[in-house]
Amino acid sequence: MAKRRKYTRELITARDNAYQDHLHHQGPAQDRPAKLRVMGGFGSVVPVAYEPRSRRDPLPWVQYDGDTGAAQLRYTGRECWTAPVDKQNEIVAPQTISRSIYRRLAAEGITCEGWGDSAGTYACYTFADASQVTWSGTDLYGAEVSNHHPIGEHGSLGAHWIQEGQPPYNEELPDFATGNYAADSAALVAWMVALADLHGRRHQEHASVEDIAAARTWQEHTGGFIATADDCKRRRYYPVDGSTVPGGSVGETRLAAYELPTPVTGGNVRPSQDDARKVANPVFHSTTGAAR
C-alpha cells in the first residue's frame, strides 16, 4: 500500500526551501531563485495562510477576505499548490496585509497614509494632538518589514505611538504577534481606535480618496470630530476626561482645543496644557461622536 502523502508538509517544505535558496543565493541577481507562495481557491486564486485550528486540522489553509480581514474559506493541503513569486504575482493587491486594516480604520474615521523608506513600507497617522503612530508587518519568516506582502504570509504586526513635545516623550510599542492574521489585525485596529478616541482624529493629507470618503461617512453618521489641517495650524489639542468639562461624564474623553497666539505656537516645541490654559480658553470636542 502506497504511503499517504502529506500535501501540507510538502507545501511548507517547498516554500521554506525556496526562501532559503533565494536568501542565500551567491550568484548574479538575475539568476536568483524565485521564492514560492502557497496558493488556493477555485474561482479567485489567492495566497492562503497556514493557520491550523488543531494539530490534526484537515483544513489548515485559510483564504482571507482582503477587504474585511475575515477568514472566508478553508482548504486541505491537496487543494493548494505553490507558485513562484515573480513580477506577475509579486504583490497581490487585494490580499496585502494592509488593505483590510486601512479599510476598517477608515470606517472608524481614521485615514492612514502609506510611506516607505530603506527600512520597508509602513503606515502613518498623525492625531489631532500631534502625537503620531506608525505600523507595519513582518512576513512569516520575520525578515521583511512591509505592508505589501500578502495575508497568506503574515507573521506579525507592530506599531509605534509617540507623543512628541516637551521631554520626557510618551510612547507605546505594542506587538500583535499571534501569527493569526484575523486576531493580529483586529487587535491593531482596536488599539488604533482607542488611541484616536483619546488623542483625536485628524484628516491626513496623503490618505486615499476611498479612505477619506469612508472617514467622512463616519463623521456624518456619528457626529464625531475630525480636525482639519487648518484647525491644527491654529489650535493645540489635549485629551481631557469628560468629568472636567460642562455636560461631560467620567470616562468620556474630550479634546480641549486652545487657539494660541503666534509667539506660543512658533517653533517645534509643543506647549504644555498648563501653558496653553494661561493664554487661551478651551473649546471642547467629543472624540467619538454621539452615536458611539
Side-chain angles (χ1 to χ4, degrees), residues 47-190:
V48 289
Y50 177 64
E51 293 178 356
R53 294 162 294 186
S54 65
R55 186 176 179 182
R56 297 184 181 276
D57 188 352
L59 301 169
W61 296 95
V62 186
Q63 175 182 332
Y64 273 90
D65 185 320
D67 292 334
T68 67
Q72 276 186 318
L73 299 170
R74 284 188 167 270
Y75 303 102
T76 68
R78 189 168 188 167
E79 295 170 320
C80 301
W81 62 93
T82 58
V85 179
D86 53 26
K87 291 183 179 180
Q88 291 185 338
N89 72 341
E90 187 175 21
I91 297 176
V92 184
Q95 281 285 313
T96 56
I97 63 161
S98 60
R99 181 184 174 99
S100 79
I101 299 174
Y102 270 75
R103 293 198 169 196
R104 282 178 278 173
L105 289 174
E108 294 282 355
I110 304 168
T111 54
C112 292
E113 301 176 334
W115 295 94
D117 54 27
S118 59
T121 57
Y122 54 93
C124 180
Y125 187 82
T126 303
F127 297 94
D129 68 354
S131 63
Q132 189 174 75
V133 67
T134 56
W135 58 267
S136 188
T138 60
D139 65 11
L140 56 87
Y141 298 104
E144 180 185 16
V145 176
S146 168
N147 278 358
H148 289 163
H149 59 267
I151 294 172
E153 293 164 19
H154 164 72
S156 66
L157 294 167
H160 181 205
W161 172 83
I162 186 167
Q163 175 72 75
E164 296 183 298
Q166 295 176 332
Y169 304 134
N170 296 318
E171 62 181 341
E172 295 179 27
L173 285 162
D175 287 317
F176 309 96
T178 68
N180 178 283
Y181 179 76
D184 292 344
S185 62
L188 172 60
V189 169

Side-chain angles (χ1 to χ4, degrees), residues 5 10 17-18 22 76 114 124 132 161 182 185 194 196 200 206 217 223 245 288:
R5 290 179 62 180
E10 291 175 13
N17 289 342
H22 179 87
T76 68
C124 180
Q132 189 174 75
W161 172 83
S185 62
H206 301 290
T217 298
V245 306
T288 58

Side-chain angles (χ1 to χ4, degrees), residues 190-202:
W191 178 74
M192 285 281 292
V193 170
L195 283 179
D197 289 349
L198 178 62
H199 300 283
R201 290 160 173 79
R202 174 176 176 172

